[in-house]
Amino acid sequence: MHKPDYIQENRQSADPIIREMFQELDIRIEELDNNKLFVEKMRLTDATIPILISIVIIINFIYTIL
């Protein structure tokens, strides 16, 4: 079964906003495919500050309840 290409269909839409949005989406997809970008996994050191902030908020919340 042939799957319709929604990006290509909407690139030729009569609505200029839809047409422009899907043209930009298609350009971005092509750039990602051409660059073969590498996504680095998040390390514990990257998450340390948000974790500490979350702990402080939880402790503050528990302190205000008591």
Side-chain angles (χ1 to χ4, degrees), residues 37-56:
L37 296 177
F38 176 72
V39 178
E40 186 177 329
K41 290 185 177 180
M42 187 173 188
R43 290 174 275 156
L44 182 60
T45 56
D46 297 332
T48 303
I49 292 176
I51 291 171
L52 292 175
I53 291 172
S54 300
I55 291 171
V56 168

PDB file of all heavy atoms in Angstrom, residues 37-56:
ATOM      1  N   LEU A  37      23.590  14.465  12.200  1.00  0.00           N
ATOM      2  CA  LEU A  37      23.927  15.031  13.507  1.00  0.00           C
ATOM      3  C   LEU A  37      24.011  13.946  14.572  1.00  0.00           C
ATOM      4  O   LEU A  37      23.267  12.970  14.567  1.00  0.00           O
ATOM      5  CB  LEU A  37      22.882  16.067  13.914  1.00  0.00           C
ATOM      6  CG  LEU A  37      22.812  17.297  13.023  1.00  0.00           C
ATOM      7  CD1 LEU A  37      21.679  18.201  13.486  1.00  0.00           C
ATOM      8  CD2 LEU A  37      24.114  18.059  13.065  1.00  0.00           C
ATOM      9  N   PHE A  38      24.913  14.150  15.501  1.00  0.00           N
ATOM     10  CA  PHE A  38      25.116  13.221  16.610  1.00  0.00           C
ATOM     11  C   PHE A  38      24.480  13.817  17.861  1.00  0.00           C
ATOM     12  O   PHE A  38      24.742  14.965  18.213  1.00  0.00           O
ATOM     13  CB  PHE A  38      26.613  12.996  16.835  1.00  0.00           C
ATOM     14  CG  PHE A  38      26.909  12.137  18.023  1.00  0.00           C
ATOM     15  CD1 PHE A  38      26.648  10.776  17.989  1.00  0.00           C
ATOM     16  CD2 PHE A  38      27.422  12.684  19.177  1.00  0.00           C
ATOM     17  CE1 PHE A  38      26.921   9.981  19.088  1.00  0.00           C
ATOM     18  CE2 PHE A  38      27.686  11.891  20.280  1.00  0.00           C
ATOM     19  CZ  PHE A  38      27.434  10.536  20.228  1.00  0.00           C
ATOM     20  N   VAL A  39      23.640  13.050  18.512  1.00  0.00           N
ATOM     21  CA  VAL A  39      22.996  13.506  19.738  1.00  0.00           C
ATOM     22  C   VAL A  39      23.718  12.866  20.912  1.00  0.00           C
ATOM     23  O   VAL A  39      23.811  11.645  21.021  1.00  0.00           O
ATOM     24  CB  VAL A  39      21.498  13.122  19.759  1.00  0.00           C
ATOM     25  CG1 VAL A  39      20.854  13.550  21.058  1.00  0.00           C
ATOM     26  CG2 VAL A  39      20.795  13.722  18.561  1.00  0.00           C
ATOM     27  N   GLU A  40      24.226  13.717  21.799  1.00  0.00           N
ATOM     28  CA  GLU A  40      24.977  13.224  22.944  1.00  0.00           C
ATOM     29  C   GLU A  40      24.017  12.926  24.088  1.00  0.00           C
ATOM     30  O   GLU A  40      23.091  13.694  24.350  1.00  0.00           O
ATOM     31  CB  GLU A  40      25.981  14.297  23.377  1.00  0.00           C
ATOM     32  CG  GLU A  40      26.916  13.858  24.458  1.00  0.00           C
ATOM     33  CD  GLU A  40      27.936  14.938  24.785  1.00  0.00           C
ATOM     34  OE1 GLU A  40      28.308  15.703  23.890  1.00  0.00           O
ATOM     35  OE2 GLU A  40      28.322  15.009  25.957  1.00  0.00           O
ATOM     36  N   LYS A  41      24.246  11.817  24.770  1.00  0.00           N
ATOM     37  CA  LYS A  41      23.404  11.460  25.900  1.00  0.00           C
ATOM     38  C   LYS A  41      23.676  12.401  27.066  1.00  0.00           C
ATOM     39  O   LYS A  41      24.787  12.889  27.250  1.00  0.00           O
ATOM     40  CB  LYS A  41      23.676  10.022  26.340  1.00  0.00           C
ATOM     41  CG  LYS A  41      23.187   8.997  25.357  1.00  0.00           C
ATOM     42  CD  LYS A  41      23.387   7.606  25.925  1.00  0.00           C
ATOM     43  CE  LYS A  41      22.837   6.578  24.975  1.00  0.00           C
ATOM     44  NZ  LYS A  41      23.013   5.219  25.481  1.00  0.00           N
ATOM     45  N   MET A  42      22.640  12.613  27.867  1.00  0.00           N
ATOM     46  CA  MET A  42      22.769  13.484  29.029  1.00  0.00           C
ATOM     47  C   MET A  42      23.534  12.745  30.122  1.00  0.00           C
ATOM     48  O   MET A  42      23.246  11.589  30.433  1.00  0.00           O
ATOM     49  CB  MET A  42      21.387  13.884  29.523  1.00  0.00           C
ATOM     50  CG  MET A  42      21.385  14.894  30.601  1.00  0.00           C
ATOM     51  SD  MET A  42      19.688  15.394  30.933  1.00  0.00           S
ATOM     52  CE  MET A  42      19.966  16.729  32.022  1.00  0.00           C
ATOM     53  N   ARG A  43      24.502  13.417  30.699  1.00  0.00           N
ATOM     54  CA  ARG A  43      25.294  12.823  31.769  1.00  0.00           C
ATOM     55  C   ARG A  43      24.776  13.300  33.120  1.00  0.00           C
ATOM     56  O   ARG A  43      24.037  14.269  33.208  1.00  0.00           O
ATOM     57  CB  ARG A  43      26.751  13.235  31.605  1.00  0.00           C
ATOM     58  CG  ARG A  43      27.393  12.571  30.386  1.00  0.00           C
ATOM     59  CD  ARG A  43      28.768  13.101  30.147  1.00  0.00           C
ATOM     60  NE  ARG A  43      28.553  14.320  29.349  1.00  0.00           N
ATOM     61  CZ  ARG A  43      29.378  15.336  29.281  1.00  0.00           C
ATOM     62  NH1 ARG A  43      30.500  15.320  29.943  1.00  0.00           N
ATOM     63  NH2 ARG A  43      29.106  16.381  28.547  1.00  0.00           N
ATOM     64  N   LEU A  44      25.168  12.625  34.170  1.00  0.00           N
ATOM     65  CA  LEU A  44      24.737  12.993  35.514  1.00  0.00           C
ATOM     66  C   LEU A  44      25.219  14.396  35.864  1.00  0.00           C
ATOM     67  O   LEU A  44      24.501  15.153  36.520  1.00  0.00           O
ATOM     68  CB  LEU A  44      25.264  11.976  36.532  1.00  0.00           C
ATOM     69  CG  LEU A  44      24.847  12.211  37.981  1.00  0.00           C
ATOM     70  CD1 LEU A  44      23.324  12.167  38.111  1.00  0.00           C
ATOM     71  CD2 LEU A  44      25.480  11.191  38.890  1.00  0.00           C
ATOM     72  N   THR A  45      26.396  14.770  35.407  1.00  0.00           N
ATOM     73  CA  THR A  45      26.908  16.110  35.706  1.00  0.00           C
ATOM     74  C   THR A  45      26.054  17.198  35.047  1.00  0.00           C
ATOM     75  O   THR A  45      25.964  18.302  35.569  1.00  0.00           O
ATOM     76  CB  THR A  45      28.372  16.254  35.236  1.00  0.00           C
ATOM     77  OG1 THR A  45      28.454  15.940  33.844  1.00  0.00           O
ATOM     78  CG2 THR A  45      29.281  15.343  36.012  1.00  0.00           C
ATOM     79  N   ASP A  46      25.426  16.870  33.925  1.00  0.00           N
ATOM     80  CA  ASP A  46      24.539  17.838  33.272  1.00  0.00           C
ATOM     81  C   ASP A  46      23.244  18.035  34.058  1.00  0.00           C
ATOM     82  O   ASP A  46      22.617  19.087  33.973  1.00  0.00           O
ATOM     83  CB  ASP A  46      24.191  17.374  31.858  1.00  0.00           C
ATOM     84  CG  ASP A  46      25.414  17.284  30.961  1.00  0.00           C
ATOM     85  OD1 ASP A  46      26.381  18.031  31.204  1.00  0.00           O
ATOM     86  OD2 ASP A  46      25.393  16.479  30.019  1.00  0.00           O
ATOM     87  N   ALA A  47      22.841  17.021  34.800  1.00  0.00           N
ATOM     88  CA  ALA A  47      21.572  17.072  35.517  1.00  0.00           C
ATOM     89  C   ALA A  47      21.722  17.440  36.988  1.00  0.00           C
ATOM     90  O   ALA A  47      20.727  17.527  37.703  1.00  0.00           O
ATOM     91  CB  ALA A  47      20.878  15.726  35.407  1.00  0.00           C
ATOM     92  N   THR A  48      22.926  17.690  37.454  1.00  0.00           N
ATOM     93  CA  THR A  48      23.160  17.929  38.877  1.00  0.00           C
ATOM     94  C   THR A  48      22.400  19.151  39.384  1.00  0.00           C
ATOM     95  O   THR A  48      21.712  19.076  40.412  1.00  0.00           O
ATOM     96  CB  THR A  48      24.663  18.103  39.146  1.00  0.00           C
ATOM     97  OG1 THR A  48      25.341  16.941  38.687  1.00  0.00           O
ATOM     98  CG2 THR A  48      24.941  18.297  40.620  1.00  0.00           C
ATOM     99  N   ILE A  49      22.499  20.268  38.714  1.00  0.00           N
ATOM    100  CA  ILE A  49      21.847  21.496  39.186  1.00  0.00           C
ATOM    101  C   ILE A  49      20.325  21.349  39.191  1.00  0.00           C
ATOM    102  O   ILE A  49      19.686  21.692  40.202  1.00  0.00           O
ATOM    103  CB  ILE A  49      22.323  22.711  38.369  1.00  0.00           C
ATOM    104  CG1 ILE A  49      23.792  22.973  38.678  1.00  0.00           C
ATOM    105  CG2 ILE A  49      21.468  23.946  38.678  1.00  0.00           C
ATOM    106  CD1 ILE A  49      24.415  24.087  37.879  1.00  0.00           C
ATOM    107  N   PRO A  50      19.685  20.853  38.130  1.00  0.00           N
ATOM    108  CA  PRO A  50      18.234  20.664  38.211  1.00  0.00           C
ATOM    109  C   PRO A  50      17.801  19.707  39.318  1.00  0.00           C
ATOM    110  O   PRO A  50      16.765  19.911  39.955  1.00  0.00           O
ATOM    111  CB  PRO A  50      17.861  20.105  36.832  1.00  0.00           C
ATOM    112  CG  PRO A  50      18.934  20.569  35.930  1.00  0.00           C
ATOM    113  CD  PRO A  50      20.166  20.609  36.767  1.00  0.00           C
ATOM    114  N   ILE A  51      18.605  18.667  39.569  1.00  0.00           N
ATOM    115  CA  ILE A  51      18.274  17.737  40.650  1.00  0.00           C
ATOM    116  C   ILE A  51      18.364  18.438  41.996  1.00  0.00           C
ATOM    117  O   ILE A  51      17.480  18.285  42.850  1.00  0.00           O
ATOM    118  CB  ILE A  51      19.197  16.500  40.600  1.00  0.00           C
ATOM    119  CG1 ILE A  51      18.871  15.648  39.374  1.00  0.00           C
ATOM    120  CG2 ILE A  51      19.081  15.668  41.879  1.00  0.00           C
ATOM    121  CD1 ILE A  51      19.854  14.528  39.119  1.00  0.00           C
ATOM    122  N   LEU A  52      19.414  19.226  42.210  1.00  0.00           N
ATOM    123  CA  LEU A  52      19.553  19.956  43.473  1.00  0.00           C
ATOM    124  C   LEU A  52      18.428  20.962  43.670  1.00  0.00           C
ATOM    125  O   LEU A  52      17.903  21.104  44.777  1.00  0.00           O
ATOM    126  CB  LEU A  52      20.917  20.654  43.527  1.00  0.00           C
ATOM    127  CG  LEU A  52      22.136  19.737  43.638  1.00  0.00           C
ATOM    128  CD1 LEU A  52      23.415  20.559  43.560  1.00  0.00           C
ATOM    129  CD2 LEU A  52      22.073  18.939  44.921  1.00  0.00           C
ATOM    130  N   ILE A  53      18.056  21.655  42.621  1.00  0.00           N
ATOM    131  CA  ILE A  53      16.948  22.615  42.717  1.00  0.00           C
ATOM    132  C   ILE A  53      15.658  21.895  43.068  1.00  0.00           C
ATOM    133  O   ILE A  53      14.876  22.370  43.911  1.00  0.00           O
ATOM    134  CB  ILE A  53      16.811  23.415  41.404  1.00  0.00           C
ATOM    135  CG1 ILE A  53      18.007  24.348  41.231  1.00  0.00           C
ATOM    136  CG2 ILE A  53      15.515  24.201  41.380  1.00  0.00           C
ATOM    137  CD1 ILE A  53      18.076  25.045  39.901  1.00  0.00           C
ATOM    138  N   SER A  54      15.425  20.741  42.467  1.00  0.00           N
ATOM    139  CA  SER A  54      14.221  19.962  42.772  1.00  0.00           C
ATOM    140  C   SER A  54      14.213  19.520  44.229  1.00  0.00           C
ATOM    141  O   SER A  54      13.175  19.582  44.902  1.00  0.00           O
ATOM    142  CB  SER A  54      14.138  18.735  41.868  1.00  0.00           C
ATOM    143  OG  SER A  54      14.077  19.114  40.529  1.00  0.00           O
ATOM    144  N   ILE A  55      15.353  19.083  44.738  1.00  0.00           N
ATOM    145  CA  ILE A  55      15.451  18.660  46.142  1.00  0.00           C
ATOM    146  C   ILE A  55      15.163  19.831  47.077  1.00  0.00           C
ATOM    147  O   ILE A  55      14.433  19.686  48.059  1.00  0.00           O
ATOM    148  CB  ILE A  55      16.831  18.037  46.417  1.00  0.00           C
ATOM    149  CG1 ILE A  55      16.944  16.700  45.676  1.00  0.00           C
ATOM    150  CG2 ILE A  55      17.068  17.852  47.915  1.00  0.00           C
ATOM    151  CD1 ILE A  55      18.331  16.096  45.693  1.00  0.00           C
ATOM    152  N   VAL A  56      15.706  20.999  46.767  1.00  0.00           N
ATOM    153  CA  VAL A  56      15.465  22.185  47.605  1.00  0.00           C
ATOM    154  C   VAL A  56      13.985  22.559  47.595  1.00  0.00           C
ATOM    155  O   VAL A  56      13.410  22.876  48.648  1.00  0.00           O
ATOM    156  CB  VAL A  56      16.337  23.367  47.129  1.00  0.00           C
ATOM    157  CG1 VAL A  56      15.905  24.668  47.779  1.00  0.00           C
ATOM    158  CG2 VAL A  56      17.799  23.098  47.397  1.00  0.00           C
TER     159      VAL A  56
END
